[in-house]
Amino acid sequence: MASVFSRIIAGELPGRFVYRDDSVVAFLTIEPVAYGHTLVVPVEEVDRWTDLDPALWAHLNEVAQRVGAAVVEEFDAPRAGYLIAGFEVPHTHIHVFPAADMSGYDLSAAMSDPDPARMDDAADRLRRALAQ
């Protein structure tokens, strides 16, 4: 059975995409720790990041770094948080989010009902920043 991320990537479920190429996508999470919280995901469904092909792992991190730079710029964040957890969805993904302190690393504190207009705005801002 396809993971929820594979279904989002395939367009079967909605997603606020900010980046896409042949092997990596980035879209906003539905439960962000801050507006701009993005998941960077390989198109290929691989559960553990340690099982990814090294070239794909490198590309995934290149995209995460670009998303991180956009997050810092667009949300005036002192840092871009970077986190790999992977227990909630069995499909490798990197969390990238605006971070001012360590609180963003607590995914249990994520917003359960973020404002859709603010989510759309965050996606638009990141798309524009990544297109430059």
Side-chain angles (χ1 to χ4, degrees):
M1 180 176 200
S3 77
V4 67
F5 291 164
S6 290
R7 295 183 66 207
I8 292 168
I9 293 165
E12 297 170 14
L13 295 172
R16 288 180 175 92
F17 287 87
V18 299
Y19 177 88
R20 181 187 290 260
D21 67 28
D22 291 340
S23 58
V24 175
V25 298
F27 51 85
L28 298 189
T29 181
I30 60 170
E31 293 187 336
V33 295
Y35 289 101
H37 184 164
T38 304
L39 302 177
V40 182
V41 184
V43 171
E44 180 183 0
E45 189 173 315
V46 177
D47 182 6
R48 297 181 306 202
W49 66 269
T50 53
D51 294 334
L52 287 177
D53 176 88
L56 179 55
W57 173 244
H59 182 53
L60 194 71
N61 277 278
E62 289 170 5
V63 173
Q65 187 175 33
R66 288 186 56 209
V67 170
V71 159
V72 166
E73 177 183 320
E74 290 299 316
F75 299 93
D76 197 29
R79 300 261 189 271
Y82 175 109
L83 177 66
I84 300 171
F87 291 102
E88 64 281 3
V89 177
H91 189 146
T92 297
H93 56 287
I94 299 171
H95 294 259
V96 180
F97 51 90
D101 54 42
M102 292 300 293
S103 64
Y105 288 86
D106 180 3
L107 297 178
S108 69
M111 295 176 239
S112 60
D113 191 24
D115 179 347
R118 290 188 68 187
M119 293 289 286
D120 289 342
D121 178 63
D124 288 342
R125 291 168 64 183
L126 289 172
R127 273 188 221 105
R128 279 192 306 270
L130 290 165
Q132 295 179 6

